[in-house]
Amino acid sequence: MTTISPVNENCFLIQLAPQIDLSLIDQIAYWVTQIELQLGAALLDITPSYTTILVEYDLLQVSPLDVAKQLEAIIALAPCEVQGKEETHLIELPVFYDVSVGWDLDALSQRTNLTVAEIIQLHSETIYRVCAIGFAPGFAFLAEVPAAIQAPRHATPRHFVPAGSVAIADAQTAVYPSDSPGGWQIIGNCPITLFDHHRDPITPFKVGDRVKFTAISATHFAELGGVVRHE
């Protein structure tokens, strides 16, 4: 059952479910669009996740009571009414899958009893959905990774993971948009800039989008500006 709860004086949290359910993605994406349209300039920030939407609004422009009423009206739409209304964008990302940039590729091969080529095929043939954006600006949590290549986070995160690193953590995959610490299993690198605060939008991702990875050669990786950075 969907609930709306105040978090503080100018934030509401919409909770859709107690646990992750990928079938909620379209519903969350649609509601986010509707909230943005309804609140307009009064909306300060909106943070969708796997099962929640955090809505922050400007108290100088709208009252908590009015916001609550608008949110209640939006979520009153039944799931069957929402389904298919939100168009999803397909984002295609080039990836150089190689042990020189995929620092965990060999270990993942040993863990899964699959060849590196099989891991690449499984990872790149799947179309993922953007389920949440967080951890770092432009970091999109994508699901769902094929069961055969799922792997847990490292027990001890690395102090340094290069920007563009394509990685797996359990059923999720992601691209690190900037240099940062990180504990995910790195299997390749994407040479495309995925966060730029000078650009509008600053990141190509939004919740509900579809993402497809395409394997590229070392030559193409270099042509796109990719750099091999050793562990």
Side-chain angles (χ1 to χ4, degrees), residues 154-185:
H154 290 291
T156 302
R158 291 181 170 96
H159 294 293
F160 170 73
V161 174
S165 293
V166 179
I168 291 172
D170 299 312
Q172 303 171 112
T173 188
V175 182
Y176 284 80
S178 56
D179 295 346
S180 72
W184 292 31
Q185 305 279 342

Side-chain angles (χ1 to χ4, degrees), residues 52-208:
T52 62
I53 305 171
L54 182 66
V55 180
E56 181 182 1
Y57 54 93
D58 187 352
L59 284 170
L60 297 178
Q61 298 190 52
V62 66
S63 72
L65 180 59
D66 287 339
V67 173
K69 287 180 178 179
Q70 291 182 67
L71 295 180
E72 288 170 358
I74 290 169
I75 68 172
L77 285 173
C80 60
E81 295 179 278
V82 171
Q83 188 173 5
K85 285 191 175 183
E86 183 70 7
E87 293 185 6
T88 57
H89 178 54
L90 176 63
I91 300 168
E92 298 187 60
L93 298 176
V95 178
F96 179 41
Y97 294 96
D98 187 80
V99 293
S100 62
V101 292
W103 298 342
D104 296 305
L105 203 47
D106 276 343
L108 184 60
S109 176
Q110 295 175 21
R111 172 190 289 272
T112 60
N113 292 318
L114 296 172
T115 65
V116 167
E118 289 171 329
I119 292 171
I120 294 170
Q121 180 179 352
L122 285 169
H123 188 263
S124 62
E125 71 182 7
T126 302
I127 295 179
Y128 302 95
R129 301 295 301 277
V130 178
C131 299
I133 299 174
F135 166 65
F139 189 101
F141 292 83
L142 313 175
E144 184 170 8
V145 173
I149 59 172
Q150 291 181 13
R153 293 171 174 82
H154 290 291
T156 302
R158 291 181 170 96
H159 294 293
F160 170 73
V161 174
S165 293
V166 179
I168 291 172
D170 299 312
Q172 303 171 112
T173 188
V175 182
Y176 284 80
S178 56
D179 295 346
S180 72
W184 292 31
Q185 305 279 342
I186 303 171
I187 62 171
N189 192 279
C190 172
I192 303 299
T193 300
L194 296 176
F195 176 76
D196 184 350
H197 66 275
H198 296 299
R199 192 171 56 193
D200 185 19
I202 59 176
T203 177
F205 302 117
K206 66 178 183 179
V207 169

Side-chain angles (χ1 to χ4, degrees), residues 198-219:
H198 296 299
R199 192 171 56 193
D200 185 19
I202 59 176
T203 177
F205 302 117
K206 66 178 183 179
V207 169
D209 282 344
R210 295 171 296 142
V211 177
K212 176 76 168 59
F213 296 109
T214 301
I216 60 173
S217 66
T219 301

